[in-house]
Amino acid sequence: MDSSSPMIQSEEFYLANSKFESYDELLKSVRDFYYAKGYGVSIRDSRKEKYVTLQCDRGGSYRDRLCSGDKRKKITVSRLIKCPFQIVGKKGNDGAWVLKAKNMTHNHEPSTDIVGHPSFRRLSPQDTESVKNMTLSGIPPRQILSSLRQGNQSLPAISRTIYNLKAKIRKESLNNRSMVSALFEEFEKEGFIFDILHNPSGHITHLFIAHPLSIKLAKIFSNIFVMDCTYKTNKYNMPLLDIIGVSCFNTSFYSGFAFLEREDEDSYIWALNTFKKILDNREPTVIMSDRELALMNAIKVVFPSTINLLCIWHIEKEDLQKQKRKEG
């Protein structure tokens, strides 16, 4: 596309006759102008209150951060094709922002569907704040996107937009801390009781967590507890031991959780000893569990005076499986 092209001439006219009161106004105006022409625009680099370099969002090339060499190129369709288009916005002495052409050519045709450009799917500040609030409330990305579209039917965002924004929010909230360090700081801030075990390499193998209210209820209603492990509850595939208390009103409450490296007797003994400290070394009257032998043995070690009853639901489930095996 040469400099005599009508499109280039219209762009140069736009640049020469445009002034903007703020950085945000400049970005919005440029993006709207080029979206109408079928091109996405992204920020290449900027310096606050000084300048901003804008480029085609197909400029640049992928960097092989994983050092996977040609293997990544074979399985990845690159959106970035080193498009040379660039313009620069600078703040003048009068406070106004002006645009200057750096390279007005593209090495590709305009898009017929601009929604395919990530820069077009950028959310407004109001929508970004809504995503942040809903993320803090624990709402999953799919429901967040549905909620945003109820207020704006033409919202160009997709699921990946929400996931990327959630990752950015999480990174900002960590403030250069590791996720584990941030987690422990939150525990301390909210008054949680927690304990951990490390392996020789320094990796966490066991984690016990108890909410302040759970601790209070466990001390008041310390006679009956139900214990069971659940699976596939986290990306580390660590078994999660649920400890559930029963009140005198025949209602249940969470007393504590323990992520374990494996379901062996030593792991259960560690978790139960930690829980025993919460109960001020008192022993429950009854602990109900399934027929997990490692857990049953650990209960005998840590709470020798406690009666260990098997859960009827688990017994009936096992009987049903045995009956099916006989019929098969």
Side-chain angles (χ1 to χ4, degrees):
M1 193 180 294
D2 57 43
S3 59
S4 62
S5 167
M7 181 176 290
I8 294 293
Q9 292 175 359
S10 67
E11 291 175 358
E12 291 176 342
F13 179 81
Y14 167 75
L15 295 176
N17 291 275
S18 297
K19 275 194 173 185
F20 309 94
E21 294 183 2
S22 67
Y23 173 85
D24 291 335
E25 183 186 348
L26 179 146
L27 286 181
K28 184 178 186 308
S29 180
V30 171
R31 282 173 173 155
D32 289 346
F33 179 82
Y34 283 101
Y35 288 155
K37 297 179 178 295
Y39 295 106
V41 176
S42 62
I43 298 174
R44 178 180 175 84
D45 62 85
S46 65
R47 186 175 177 184
K48 189 176 182 181
E49 298 301 317
K50 292 288 184 181
Y51 73 90
V52 58
T53 303
L54 301 173
Q55 66 176 7
C56 175
D57 66 0
R58 302 196 69 180
S61 59
Y62 280 110
R63 288 174 292 174
D64 190 4
R65 295 186 178 91
L66 300 178
C67 299
S68 55
D70 292 337
K71 184 178 179 181
R72 178 179 176 129
K73 294 179 182 178
K74 291 178 181 177
I75 61 175
T76 303
V77 177
S78 176
R79 178 180 55 83
L80 304 181
I81 55 174
K82 298 182 180 180
C83 179
F85 175 87
Q86 285 187 15
I87 56 177
V88 178
K90 290 186 177 180
K91 187 175 183 179
N93 295 329
D94 59 354
W97 286 77
V98 295
L99 290 169
K100 183 179 179 181
K102 190 171 183 180
N103 190 326
M104 301 298 292
T105 60
H106 294 272
N107 63 359
H108 59 95
E109 294 298 318
S111 299
T112 55
D113 184 7
I114 199 67
V115 177
H117 292 259
S119 55
F120 180 71
R121 299 195 295 263
R122 194 180 303 271
L123 296 177
S124 67
Q126 295 81 3
D127 287 338
T128 300
E129 187 65 24
S130 296
V131 172
K132 183 176 181 179
N133 293 333
M134 286 188 278
T135 297
L136 294 175
S137 300
I139 300 175
R142 183 179 298 178
Q143 294 183 18
I144 292 176
L145 186 58
S146 297
S147 177
L148 293 177
R149 283 178 173 165
Q150 287 179 1
N152 181 6
Q153 295 292 333
S154 60
L155 186 76
I158 60 174
S159 296
R160 176 49 52 189
T161 309
I162 306 301
Y163 279 107
N164 290 343
L165 184 54
K166 281 170 66 71
K168 181 181 179 181
I169 292 170
R170 182 168 60 249
K171 183 177 180 180
E172 290 175 350
S173 66
L174 289 176
N175 193 23
N176 295 324
R177 300 172 296 173
S178 68
M179 294 184 68
V180 172
S181 297
L183 176 66
F184 291 162
E185 287 182 19
E186 287 298 316
F187 283 162
E188 292 176 352
K189 178 181 176 182
E190 300 298 330
F192 280 74
I193 292 293
F194 66 95
D195 196 6
I196 57 175
L197 274 185
H198 297 89
N199 61 16
S201 301
H203 295 111
I204 295 175
T205 58
H206 299 69
L207 171 62
F208 186 94
I209 313 166
H211 189 274
L213 181 57
S214 296
I215 297 170
K216 184 176 181 180
L217 291 172
K219 288 181 178 180
I220 296 173
F221 306 108
S222 59
N223 291 319
I224 303 174
F225 293 97
V226 180
M227 298 184 183
D228 190 20
C229 261
T230 57
Y231 308 89
K232 298 179 181 179
T233 57
N234 55 89
K235 67 179 181 180
Y236 304 106
N237 293 320
M238 297 177 71
L240 174 63
L241 176 64
D242 291 320
I243 303 177
I244 300 172
V246 181
S247 72
C248 61
F249 305 104
N250 200 28
T251 57
S252 61
F253 59 92
Y254 285 111
S255 301
F257 305 91
F259 288 99
L260 308 175
E261 184 178 34
R262 62 180 66 91
E263 287 186 277
D264 58 12
E265 190 172 325
D266 290 339
S267 294
Y268 282 125
I269 288 175
W270 175 84
L272 295 182
N273 273 322
T274 306
F275 182 58
K276 188 175 182 178
K277 294 176 185 177
I278 290 177
L279 299 178
D280 297 329
N281 293 318
R282 287 178 292 179
E283 294 194 24
T285 304
V286 174
I287 292 179
M288 298 182 64
S289 68
D290 61 357
R291 195 175 179 277
E292 172 60 49
L293 296 180
L295 176 57
M296 295 172 69
N297 291 335
I299 292 172
K300 291 178 182 178
V301 173
V302 181
F303 300 116
S305 301
T306 298
I307 300 172
N308 182 197
L309 299 179
L310 297 182
C311 174
I312 294 176
W313 182 84
H314 285 96
I315 294 175
E316 291 178 346
K317 183 179 179 181
E318 182 65 25
D319 286 341
L320 183 61
Q321 289 178 347
K322 287 182 179 179
Q323 188 174 352
K324 287 181 178 180
R325 285 196 293 267
K326 287 180 181 181
E327 293 175 353

